[in-house]
Amino acid sequence: METGSLWARTSDVAHMGEAVRAAHPSHSVVTERIAALHTGAPFELLDCGILSGVTYRHLLAAGLEVDYTGIDINGLAVADCRELHPEARWRQMSITDLAFPDGSFDVVNCRHVLEHLPYYETAVRELFRVARRTVAICMFQIPQEPEVLLRRETANGYIWLNRYAPGPFEALLHSLSESVEIIDVPADHRRNQVYLCTKRPA
């Protein structure tokens, strides 16, 4: 299910210009929070949901010393990013089954992916499993009541466009975190919400 969903998602949003995606203020919010934690020191980051490598370019533009790994279920997106940025690591992989040991990355970033899964819990637990300290989740479908799980048929298969209930979602984050900062990011194109989580020690 996930493969078809995310493949269709990538095709479905392809009409959005690169400049629109790159300029969304949620990128700056996440980059600034990461920079505050890691300015002047190298760190390892896993980026889940790469599209065209926009997050990687934001991190580089901020002057961060990032050891970057990007994953996506879409092999075409991975191949494009490898061609554009061969100095980074790009792997085709499911967010619900991350092929990394526990605590592999200082920061795990997940942008606009959870809404396109059949449900979020397995993926969220995987994000926290492979993180050492920080998990950043950016949502474009802002959690609110009532929860709506929508599977939409497209020319390329189907796409999930879920809006999750905030109570259970935030409860899961708090159960895995020492602290959760919820940052509302207004924007002309689409409001986003960022959850910046500090992982609870084992």
Side-chain angles (χ1 to χ4, degrees), residues 146-161:
E147 183 166 89
V148 177
L149 306 181
L150 174 63
R151 178 172 142 155
R152 178 182 297 171
E153 301 298 326
T154 75
N156 296 314
Y158 63 88
I159 181 172
W160 289 95
L161 286 172

